[in-house]
């Protein structure tokens, strides 16, 4: 998805029905949070690429945290690429 407004709930609904998803690109798609990222991590264990970027008019967000990274590490063992720009709570 690119340049559209999606909510955590909408992302959760999408990924719960796509357990074999390997690439997920949510570019400029709204301010998502740990909530949807945790669902992605638990539902899409075959994921190898996850890209989550903010809309062009938002430069920073604190909605995705280290909890997301921990969940991805625990559940998405094939993950090779994780891009999550503008999130100030990930260090």
């Amino acid at each position: 998805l690119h340049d559209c407004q999606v909510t955590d709930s909408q992302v959760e609904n999408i990924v719960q029905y796509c357990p074999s998803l390997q690439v997920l690109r949510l570019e400029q798609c709204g301010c998502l949070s740990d909530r949807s990222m945790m669902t992605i991590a638990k539902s899409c264990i075959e994921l190898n690429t996850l890209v989550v970027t903010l809309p062009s008019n938002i430069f920073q967000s604190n909605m995705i945290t280290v909890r997301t990274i921990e969940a991805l590490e625990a559940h998405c063992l094939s993950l090779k690429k994780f891009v999550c720009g503008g999130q100030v709570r990930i260090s």
Side-chain angles (χ1 to χ4, degrees):
L1 297 173
H2 185 272
D3 197 23
C4 60
Q5 293 298 315
V6 293
T7 65
D8 282 327
S9 295
Q10 291 167 324
V11 170
E12 289 172 326
N13 287 335
I14 292 167
V15 300
Q16 287 176 345
Y17 294 101
C18 301
S20 299
L21 203 60
Q22 294 180 351
V23 176
L24 180 57
R25 302 178 72 89
L26 301 167
E27 299 178 85
Q28 299 179 7
C29 286
C31 290
L32 301 173
S33 73
D34 277 341
R35 182 179 137 193
S36 57
M37 297 299 110
M38 301 293 246
T39 303
I40 290 168
K42 292 175 184 174
S43 299
C44 303
I45 59 172
E46 295 179 32
L47 201 64
N48 64 52
T49 301
L50 176 59
V51 178
V52 181
T53 60
L54 296 169
S56 58
N57 63 331
I58 298 175
F59 299 103
Q60 291 183 343
S61 174
N62 66 357
M63 303 291 286
I64 297 176
T65 69
V66 71
R67 289 182 61 218
T68 290
I69 294 173
E70 292 168 350
L72 291 169
E73 277 183 343
H75 300 285
C76 299
L77 303 180
S78 297
L79 190 66
K80 302 288 184 236
K81 180 178 182 180
F82 175 54
V83 176
C84 190
Q87 298 296 329
V88 297
R89 293 179 64 190
I90 295 178
S91 54

